[in-house]
Amino acid sequence: AVSASSATSFAKTSFDFLVIGGGNAGLVVASRLSENPSVLVGVLEAGKYRPGDPVIEVPQSSAAAKNPNGISLLGNPDYDWRFTSVPQPGLNGTTIRYP
C-alpha cells in the first residue's frame, strides 16, 4: 500500500485505477480493486487536503453533532459545501439542505 503524504505526491503517482469520490460506494470499489496486490488504486475526493485534522478524523455519534473540539461540520463552510435544492413547490417553497 502506498500513502500519499501530500497532494503533490498524489498527483505525481501513476495509478492503475483512480476512483472519483470517497463516499461509501467509491470506497467499496477502491477496496475491492485493491484486493489485487498488483494494482495501485487512488481515491480522489473533493475538498481541501486536511491530513491530521481532528475535526474530520475524530469519530462522531452523528453528522449533526459537534466534534469534541466544539466544531460542527454541517453548515460550516470550511467542511460543508452547503448545497440546497431549488425551492420545492409542494413544501411551500422550502429548500432542502444536502449534507
Side-chain angles (χ1 to χ4, degrees):
V2 175
S3 176
S5 59
S6 71
T8 302
S9 66
F10 183 88
K12 290 180 179 178
T13 303
S14 179
F15 295 101
D16 297 304
F17 297 97
L18 185 59
V19 178
I20 309 300
N24 294 340
L27 293 179
V28 168
V29 168
S31 176
R32 294 297 302 271
L33 289 169
S34 67
E35 288 175 1
N36 181 344
S38 68
V39 300
L40 186 59
V41 179
V43 178
L44 186 63
E45 176 66 322
K48 187 175 181 180
Y49 183 62
R50 298 176 184 270
D53 185 341
V55 174
I56 295 171
E57 293 183 1
V58 174
Q60 300 182 84
S61 59
S62 75
K66 290 186 177 182
N67 75 354
N69 297 327
I71 299 172
S72 177
L73 299 177
L74 292 179
N76 182 334
D78 287 337
Y79 300 94
D80 184 355
W81 294 106
R82 300 188 308 172
F83 290 136
T84 60
S85 69
V86 296
Q88 301 297 303
L91 298 174
N92 293 327
T94 301
T95 58
I96 308 299
R97 184 176 69 183
Y98 293 106

